[in-house]
Amino acid sequence: MQQQQPGGSVRVSGRVTYSRLLEFVDEGSVKRVDFYDLGRTAVATVMVAGREQQLVCDLPGATTGLIDKLVSKNIAIEA
């Protein structure tokens, strides 16, 4: 479950590079990805060391490949 701060914003645990986000997806660690800023930013809910964390990632250009990968892994997506 996502923890939200007053005002409805998601509490972010840290930042992650796009390549590391893809590694988390391939490992099966990502539970959900929320897209913000017209698809330029993602907040991923990731299991890291047995703890659920929200990690923010700046996305490069078009993200259709990422979305296809998330869908193929049955990861929840919110835009």
Side-chain angles (χ1 to χ4, degrees), residues 38-76:
L38 301 173
R40 290 186 297 250
T41 304
V43 176
T45 303
V46 181
M47 289 300 292
V48 179
R51 283 190 16 232
E52 188 174 280
Q53 297 184 19
Q54 279 75 39
L55 302 174
V56 68
C57 177
D58 296 320
L59 300 175
T63 56
T64 54
L66 173 60
I67 292 171
D68 291 342
K69 184 178 279 242
L70 296 174
V71 168
S72 73
K73 300 270 188 180
N74 296 316
I75 297 169

Side-chain angles (χ1 to χ4, degrees), residues 26-39:
D26 288 336
E27 292 168 6
S29 301
V30 178
K31 298 173 75 176
R32 172 190 177 100
V33 176
D34 295 299
F35 292 96
Y36 297 94
D37 302 325
L38 301 173

